[in-house]
Amino acid sequence: MIRSQVKTLVDQCFQQGVDQGLWSQAAANLYNVEVPRHGGQGDFSTNFAMVLAGKEKRNPRELAGQLVDLLNQDETLLDKVEIAGPGFVNLFLKPSVWSTVLAPISEQGRAFGLSDVGKGKKVMVEFVSANPTGPLSVGHGRNAILGDTIARLLKATGHDVTREYYFNDAGRQMRVLADSLKARYLEKLDLENAFPEDGYQGDYIYEIAQGMIDEAGDSFKDVEDQTLFRKRAQEAIFADIDTTLKRIGIAFDSYYNEHTLYEEGMIEDVVDQLRAKGLVYEQDEATWFKTSEFGMEQDRVIIKNTGEPTYRLPDIAYHREKFRRGFDWMINVFGADHIATVPDVLAGIEALGLDKSKIQVVLHQFVTLLRDGKQVKMSTRKATFVTVDELVDEVGVDALRFFFLMRKPDSQLEFDLELATAQSQENPVYYVQYAHARLCSIERMATEKGVALPVLAETDLSPLQEEEEYQLLKTLASYPALVADAATDLAPHRIIFFLMELAGNFHSFYNKHKVVTEDQQLTAARLCLCQGIKAVLANGLDLVGLVAPEKM
């Protein structure tokens, strides 16, 4: 796009300088061409002179002046070039350059913004991975939307993406779940029962128990083995989780069951490998992993004195299997409550001789749900939580996805229910979607007035000279690089920010200027601009899993 054209021009001038003996190759591929953060500093700026000055021990402004002389020979892109501060070179483009962005938007359509920067890199995105002990809560919802959108971004940029759900179907929480269901089953039969002190208290446990009674009456009342109750609870709850995920547009390519690690001896094998390396020892009847040798303050227990592994051990074994499956990049989307786990697992991976840099963890902060300005308390076991389904019922899928992506993952998220349901421009998702609907309305209005929608290749775009029009064109031109950077940095919130910026720029333009006017050339040019805005808004909304409505 335009940014790449400017970078190519700067590179050509750099090479000219090398050929003319003005400077050496020392700064090759080290300088940047970026959009300045503040207005008045040009359309693009390069730090070339300062990078080269550091390499050659020369005055950066002198080098900047030499670069400016070379750049000024260009007659196609640049309107003017200025030196700023310690040696930045600010480049101002000819206004007509910006309208060239509309051609690739028109030609590429739904593909505009897609790229192959991932070059087929094999990536796993593991997300949700909620224990099958209850419905998906609001916190799980943020994890789900974040992981799904990261996967969408990576796929859009040419990565080979696998979405995986790690199914925690082993361990203490499953025993507690089984005991909770058996107690509710007996309770519904008016039989003596002992509900576990830390059992799961939600209505969903009663519903599963009632289903068992409807199916087989009291025939399970004397079953001592936990397996039956654990299996029934697990199957029912996961079916509910799966239905919820599909409802919000999320599907997985694969599921990995924790019990597989035990059944296939992977847990014991990891311990044996660590022991062979002298990194495991016994103390207080427990088995310890020498994490202190990998920068931790103290060693960690990996097998309790009861003989049961701690969560660290199966997590290490699971991640080793990811390596064995050939993934180049393993992304884990976790809640902030996993922050203490991550270093231990990475230490285990390093201890096994694997490249821990291939694992990247995205930790997201918790969600605070506000209703009437008051925080809604949530607890899975006490069953006072709000489920994702309840939230979708109230605000809809689009608002759910948009609001969960509005903040950086490491930022606390306050989900304001009143704002999310407001049919006004104060509601950011409404504001963005309304921009797309308004653009569709402009086209309908033009057609009703007998104005034919223009063909871009046959349209003179020179009438686009208003500042608001330039700003819209510049914003459109930034989209492909933005998508690539958001994917590389695992930062889906940037797409939301872009959509809000583009929608805001369009609404500002619309409030100041008519699209369909008496001037046929101006009308045609503005309709082409609107077509480009509509296409990019639709692409951006689709990228984050939202609908681009034609009417609102």
Side-chain angles (χ1 to χ4, degrees):
M1 296 304 300
I2 293 172
R3 177 177 171 180
S4 64
Q5 293 176 47
V6 175
K7 178 64 163 57
T8 298
L9 175 61
V10 174
D11 290 344
Q12 290 172 346
C13 290
F14 168 72
Q15 190 57 48
Q16 275 185 269
V18 173
D19 295 342
Q20 295 174 20
L22 299 177
W23 47 67
S24 70
Q25 289 276 9
N29 301 317
L30 297 178
Y31 56 85
N32 298 318
V33 174
E34 303 287 352
V35 177
R37 293 185 179 182
H38 305 290
Q41 297 179 344
D43 297 310
F44 296 94
S45 181
T46 178
N47 63 347
F48 156 83
M50 290 179 290
V51 172
L52 184 59
K55 295 290 183 182
E56 299 192 347
K57 308 303 179 186
R58 292 173 59 186
N59 185 316
R61 287 186 66 89
E62 176 189 342
L63 290 167
Q66 292 174 315
L67 177 63
V68 167
D69 290 340
L70 294 172
L71 288 168
N72 278 330
Q73 297 174 23
D74 170 76
E75 296 180 354
T76 58
L77 289 176
L78 302 179
D79 188 34
K80 64 177 180 177
V81 187
E82 295 178 347
I83 301 173
F88 286 103
V89 176
N90 295 337
L91 301 91
F92 297 79
L93 272 57
K94 294 178 182 295
S96 58
V97 171
W98 290 109
S99 61
T100 62
V101 71
L102 295 178
I105 295 174
S106 176
E107 293 164 4
Q108 296 172 28
R110 302 298 290 177
F112 182 76
L114 307 185
S115 70
D116 63 350
V117 296
K119 300 186 183 304
K121 188 176 185 179
K122 191 174 180 182
V123 184
M124 175 196 281
V125 184
E126 182 215 331
F127 61 108
V128 183
S129 297
N131 294 340
T133 55
L136 292 182
S137 68
V138 171
H140 297 131
R142 185 179 193 186
N143 185 301
I145 300 302
L146 183 59
D148 177 66
T149 311
I150 286 173
R152 286 168 176 264
L153 280 169
L154 292 170
K155 187 174 181 179
T157 49
H159 295 80
D160 179 6
V161 180
T162 296
R163 304 163 187 234
E164 183 153 292
Y165 189 123
Y166 178 59
F167 197 76
N168 293 274
D169 57 353
R172 181 178 178 278
Q173 82 275 0
M174 299 308 296
R175 294 197 299 275
V176 173
L177 178 66
D179 290 342
S180 300
L181 176 57
K182 183 175 182 180
R184 294 310 190 202
Y185 173 78
L186 294 173
E187 179 184 340
K188 276 189 162 289
L189 293 171
D190 293 325
L191 298 173
E192 183 178 347
N193 65 89
F195 191 82
E197 183 178 347
D198 54 353
Y200 294 92
Q201 301 178 23
D203 289 342
Y204 61 95
I205 302 295
Y206 281 109
E207 292 170 4
I208 299 169
Q210 185 61 55
M212 295 178 71
I213 292 172
D214 293 342
E215 175 191 332
D218 66 354
S219 59
F220 303 129
K221 65 181 180 180
D222 296 321
V223 173
E224 295 295 334
D225 187 357
Q226 276 193 338
T227 304
L228 171 69
F229 290 96
R230 183 173 67 248
K231 183 178 179 183
R232 291 301 181 94
Q234 176 181 305
E235 289 176 348
I237 292 171
F238 189 72
D240 180 72
I241 289 173
D242 187 53
T243 299
T244 300
L245 290 171
K246 288 178 179 175
R247 186 182 182 193
I248 59 177
I250 297 175
F252 287 88
D253 301 302
S254 58
Y255 296 85
Y256 196 99
N257 293 327
E258 182 183 357
H259 72 79
T260 302
L261 300 171
Y262 293 86
E263 292 176 356
E264 298 185 5
M266 300 176 198
I267 301 292
E268 294 87 346
D269 186 55
V270 166
V271 176
D272 290 343
Q273 284 197 40
L274 294 176
R275 196 184 302 278
K277 293 173 178 281
L279 295 172
V280 164
Y281 63 92
E282 311 298 325
Q283 181 176 304
D284 301 326
E285 299 183 353
T287 302
W288 295 70
F289 171 32
K290 292 182 180 179
T291 47
S292 56
E293 293 197 11
F294 299 90
M296 307 292 107
E297 289 187 3
Q298 59 185 27
D299 296 338
R300 302 293 189 188
V301 173
I302 53 173
I303 301 178
K304 303 174 187 176
N305 56 15
T306 60
E308 182 178 38
T310 64
Y311 55 83
R312 297 175 183 87
L313 185 50
D315 279 1
I316 293 169
Y318 171 47
H319 281 82
R320 184 185 65 171
E321 294 313 299
K322 290 183 182 181
F323 278 91
R324 288 180 171 177
R325 289 156 66 190
F327 290 101
D328 304 307
W329 190 11
M330 290 150 274
I331 299 162
N332 298 332
V333 182
F334 290 152
D337 54 336
H338 284 72
I339 193 167
T341 311
V342 173
D344 298 342
V345 175
L346 293 179
I349 290 300
E350 184 179 0
L352 293 172
L354 300 170
D355 184 1
K356 68 177 183 180
S357 69
K358 290 186 175 183
I359 299 174
Q360 188 166 352
V361 177
V362 178
L363 287 170
H364 65 85
Q365 290 295 325
F366 298 104
V367 178
T368 300
L369 190 63
L370 301 179
R371 191 187 302 279
D372 300 324
K374 297 179 180 178
Q375 181 178 344
V376 178
K377 301 292 184 181
M378 292 176 281
S379 168
T380 306
R381 289 197 173 168
K382 293 183 179 178
T384 58
F385 58 92
V386 176
T387 67
V388 171
D389 280 318
E390 290 172 320
L391 200 51
V392 172
D393 289 342
E394 187 160 348
V395 306
V397 174
D398 283 359
L400 179 85
R401 294 188 69 103
F402 196 99
F403 271 67
F404 275 149
L405 295 171
M406 276 180 61
R407 298 287 180 267
K408 295 180 181 180
D410 59 2
S411 298
Q412 187 82 15
L413 176 65
E414 287 191 345
F415 197 114
D416 188 327
L417 290 166
E418 291 175 314
L419 181 61
T421 54
Q423 297 292 303
S424 71
Q425 295 196 22
E426 284 71 37
N427 179 352
V429 64
Y430 181 91
Y431 187 69
V432 171
Q433 289 182 317
Y434 182 58
H436 187 272
R438 178 176 264 179
L439 286 156
C440 294
S441 175
I442 288 171
E443 292 185 349
R444 289 194 298 269
M445 181 186 68
T447 302
E448 290 168 2
K449 289 186 175 183
V451 178
L453 296 181
V455 176
L456 180 65
E458 302 171 358
T459 304
D460 177 13
L461 299 176
S462 63
L464 299 177
Q465 296 181 4
E466 298 291 345
E467 180 59 35
E468 291 80 13
E469 292 165 339
Y470 288 143
Q471 190 57 54
L472 279 164
L473 290 167
K474 290 177 184 179
T475 305
L476 293 175
S478 71
Y479 181 67
L482 175 94
V483 173
D485 290 344
T488 301
D489 298 339
L490 307 182
H493 62 279
R494 294 181 191 170
I495 306 299
I496 297 296
F497 292 170
F498 170 85
L499 290 170
M500 293 173 66
E501 178 185 5
L502 181 57
N505 290 341
F506 167 68
H507 288 307
S508 296
F509 161 77
Y510 183 84
N511 291 333
K512 291 183 180 179
H513 307 286
K514 287 186 176 181
V515 175
V516 180
T517 71
E518 298 300 320
D519 186 329
Q520 292 183 0
Q521 282 190 317
L522 178 61
T523 296
R526 286 183 172 170
L527 283 172
C528 284
L529 173 60
C530 287
Q531 288 171 347
I533 301 166
K534 185 182 76 168
V536 175
L537 275 174
N539 288 0
L541 285 165
D542 181 67
L543 186 57
V544 293
L546 272 72
V547 172
E550 296 188 1
K551 293 182 179 180
M552 288 181 73

